[in-house]
Amino acid sequence: MPQTTTKPDPTPSNAQKAVVIGAGIVGVNVALALQDKGYDVTILDRGEPGMGASFGNAGGLAVTECAPIAMPGTLMNVPGWLMDPLGPLSVRWGYLPKMLPWLLRFVAASSKSRVEQIATELAAILNRAWDDYDHVIATAGLGDAVSKKEGAMAVYRSEASRRDDDYNIDLRRRNGVSLRDLTRDEVRDLEPDLADIFSCGVMEEDWGRVMDPYKIVMGIYKCFLDRGGKFQTAEVTDFVYRDGKPRAAMTTSGDQITFDQVVVACGAWSKTLAKRLGSNALLDTERGYNTTVPYHDAKLSRMVICADDSFVLTPLEMGIRVGGAVELGGLTAAPNYKRAKALFAKGREVLPKLKSEGGTEWMGFRPSMPNSKPVISKSPVHQNVFFAFGHGHLGLTMAATTGRLISDLVTGSETPINMTPYRINRF
Ligand SMILES: Cc1cc2nc3c(=O)[nH]c(=O)nc-3n(C[C@H](O)[C@H](O)[C@H](O)COP(=O)(O)OP(=O)(O)OC[C@H]3O[C@@H](n4cnc5c(N)ncnc54)[C@H](O)[C@@H]3O)c2cc1C
């Protein structure tokens, strides 16, 4: 059946003018949600929509992932990871001093008491992600582009490595996540093309997947345009203030784009603009890599999470995407595609039918906060300024909920969850 999009009433000419800076998955969701509330919305991006981190991510609607990245014991693993130059974590040593404040907060966030609290706060967003996506998917007519709640299968090479994840699994179960243990035979029956190297698995029941992350951004963006939204190519560098209030975005081409409200949704690049608006954000980037290859004759029915080596395989519309890993190296260093190749080699151990012919490598900048919680926040300084960034490994998953929550903050409506944990001035 052809998908249709629903159109809102035309924007009234006296509507408040909102500018959203950044046309990634977060920005387009924020823009659509504000449009729903009757705002006259313009998205600004320095490039084409959807070409940032949202372009090539793994496509997981990972609603089960409320455990933060900094966990008790994470630090113990760091030396081992760093010994392997192509392991799951790498560091550009020259960048490390610049990252020190972030790293210190990361360490602080890994204590058990903090992790317990953070998991609950992430779950508050993730547990409503499907409801908010359902609304966006229906509005934009994207039903065929998303596979809902099909589950993702985490696999373990040994019972011992599964036991290493006991705390992580228990933490998530206690936050309402449905996780089902799988035997070796069940793993094999569910994904027969996987190598017979796994002792057991865990089915992450409510996990979903998009068929192409870029097409999701573009589908929502197109719906936004169809409903009267505007887009302008513009790199924002600063703001024009009147009576102490930011009133226009200044761009590299010298334009001043006026607004009543502004939302900064520039992913990993949001820090500078937040600062120009009077707020310091402890934002940095975890760079990630992947390779996407045509299926050839490999088959995969769902996402597979290789728990021992921290990477995932996703069946997408255009092929199988193999990737993950974290590289701490800032926003300007050139990609090191040896990392994508190393992940792909590991992927072939797991799915031997994978072939590299026709593959495409990609690197993206996750916008990461040290405690894994996004910034979804009103500015503490200016009434008409809002922030939506820092979604780390879960920006695709949390984007629809972020849009909904930001639109509540902008309109001053009651939010369905307590927003204190996601405020920009939390550190
Ligand atoms: C390898 C990898 C795998 C991932 N897998 C998943 C996954 O399976 N599930 C999941 O939920 N998440 C995943 N993520 C994370 C997810 O991709 C990100 O969290 C998400 O895409 C961030 O979206 P965003 O809109 O905030 O940023 P982006 O998509 O990066 O968009 C930011 C936009 O802001 C624009 N911009 C920046 N500065 C300016 C400026 N000054 N003026 C104008 N425009 C500007 C940029 O051009 C860009 O278009 C993954 C990430 C990586 C790297």
Side-chain angles (χ1 to χ4, degrees):
M1 249 195 5
Q3 304 263 338
T4 52
T5 61
T6 53
K7 285 199 187 247
D9 296 334
T11 312
S13 56
N14 61 349
Q16 290 271 299
K17 192 172 175 205
V19 159
V20 177
I21 312 173
I25 189 67
V26 173
V28 296
N29 270 284
V30 167
L32 193 70
L34 285 172
Q35 191 178 52
D36 250 350
K37 297 255 167 109
Y39 283 75
D40 174 10
V41 186
T42 303
I43 304 180
L44 308 179
D45 200 295
R46 61 186 175 194
E48 298 287 320
M51 296 306 289
S54 306
F55 175 80
N57 62 53
L61 292 168
V63 300
T64 62
E65 292 292 310
C66 62
I69 303 301
M71 292 283 281
T74 301
L75 288 182
M76 304 281 282
N77 290 323
V78 168
W81 288 335
L82 291 179
M83 295 284 277
D84 176 357
L86 299 174
L89 173 69
S90 69
V91 169
R92 302 281 179 114
W93 294 105
Y95 185 71
L96 216 53
K98 290 201 185 97
M99 243 191 129
L100 203 58
W102 190 98
L103 288 167
L104 291 174
R105 291 292 179 175
F106 182 86
V107 172
S110 70
S111 76
K112 194 158 176 186
S113 61
R114 292 289 297 121
V115 166
E116 290 284 326
Q117 191 186 342
I118 293 166
T120 304
E121 292 162 350
L122 286 174
I125 297 178
L126 294 170
N127 290 347
R128 52 169 303 120
W130 277 122
D131 286 345
D132 293 316
Y133 253 119
D134 280 347
H135 175 68
V136 171
I137 290 165
T139 304
L142 289 171
D144 293 343
V146 179
S147 183
K148 282 184 60 182
K149 298 195 181 184
E150 66 181 9
M153 186 167 73
V155 287
Y156 296 85
R157 287 182 188 245
S158 68
E159 296 287 343
S161 68
R162 162 66 186 79
R163 279 196 299 278
D164 288 345
D165 260 359
D166 273 352
Y167 173 66
N168 178 311
I169 286 172
D170 176 57
L171 175 71
R172 292 191 287 151
R173 282 187 173 138
R174 283 187 281 112
N175 281 287
V177 175
S178 177
L179 300 168
R180 179 165 53 92
D181 279 303
L182 299 171
T183 63
R184 180 186 202 112
D185 287 347
E186 285 171 322
V187 168
R188 223 182 9 236
D189 290 349
L190 283 162
E191 295 295 347
D193 274 8
L194 291 190
D196 190 11
I197 53 175
F198 297 109
S199 295
C200 56
V202 170
M203 182 58 75
E204 314 224 351
E205 309 264 24
D206 288 335
W207 188 298
R209 163 176 62 108
V210 302
M211 300 303 136
D212 180 342
Y214 174 64
K215 282 194 181 166
I216 291 293
V217 183
M218 294 313 282
I220 298 168
Y221 170 67
K222 186 173 173 309
C223 171
F224 164 78
L225 292 184
D226 286 349
R227 291 154 55 108
K230 288 165 246 163
F231 175 80
Q232 191 174 331
T233 306
E235 177 162 12
V236 178
T237 50
D238 206 343
F239 298 88
V240 179
Y241 283 71
R242 254 195 324 272
D243 303 328
K245 218 176 183 184
R247 283 298 180 194
M250 275 167 63
T251 75
T252 42
S253 54
D255 287 346
Q256 296 191 359
I257 300 155
T258 58
F259 53 73
D260 296 303
Q261 284 84 18
V262 66
V263 184
V264 177
C266 295
W269 299 272
S270 300
K271 190 174 173 152
T272 315
L273 292 188
K275 177 107 182 143
R276 303 304 303 162
L277 290 163
S279 286
N280 286 314
L282 210 44
L283 176 75
D284 215 292
T285 184
E286 293 170 82
R287 299 147 60 110
Y289 291 84
N290 57 40
T291 306
T292 309
V293 293
Y295 279 90
H296 300 291
D297 58 348
K299 287 195 186 63
L300 209 57
S301 308
R302 57 182 67 70
M303 281 183 78
V304 170
I305 304 158
C306 299
D308 305 83
D309 295 304
S310 305
F311 72 97
V312 299
L313 297 104
T314 314
L316 294 170
E317 198 173 279
M318 74 300 266
I320 295 180
R321 184 162 287 169
V322 185
V326 166
E327 184 183 50
L328 304 179
L331 291 167
T332 53
N336 171 10
Y337 284 115
K338 282 185 191 161
R339 299 194 57 73
K341 288 179 181 55
L343 287 168
F344 188 71
K346 286 183 179 167
R348 284 181 78 170
E349 277 177 31
V350 169
L351 188 63
K353 287 182 182 170
L354 277 181
K355 292 196 182 82
S356 56
E357 284 80 36
T360 318
E361 293 172 336
W362 179 79
M363 191 268 282
F365 298 95
R366 296 186 191 92
S368 298
M369 300 296 290
N371 57 7
S372 300
K373 288 189 295 176
V375 173
I376 307 173
S377 178
K378 193 178 170 85
S379 158
V381 185
H382 303 293
Q383 288 291 317
N384 63 335
V385 172
F386 301 84
F387 301 108
F389 59 79
H391 296 73
H393 295 238
L394 295 173
L396 171 64
T397 311
M398 292 181 165
T401 300
T402 300
R404 154 77 204 266
L405 294 171
I406 287 284
S407 73
D408 285 341
L409 292 176
V410 172
T411 52
S413 316
E414 195 181 335
T415 50
I417 60 172
N418 170 20
M419 298 305 294
T420 311
Y422 323 106
R423 67 199 186 284
I424 193 161
N425 54 341
R426 74 183 78 144
F427 292 113

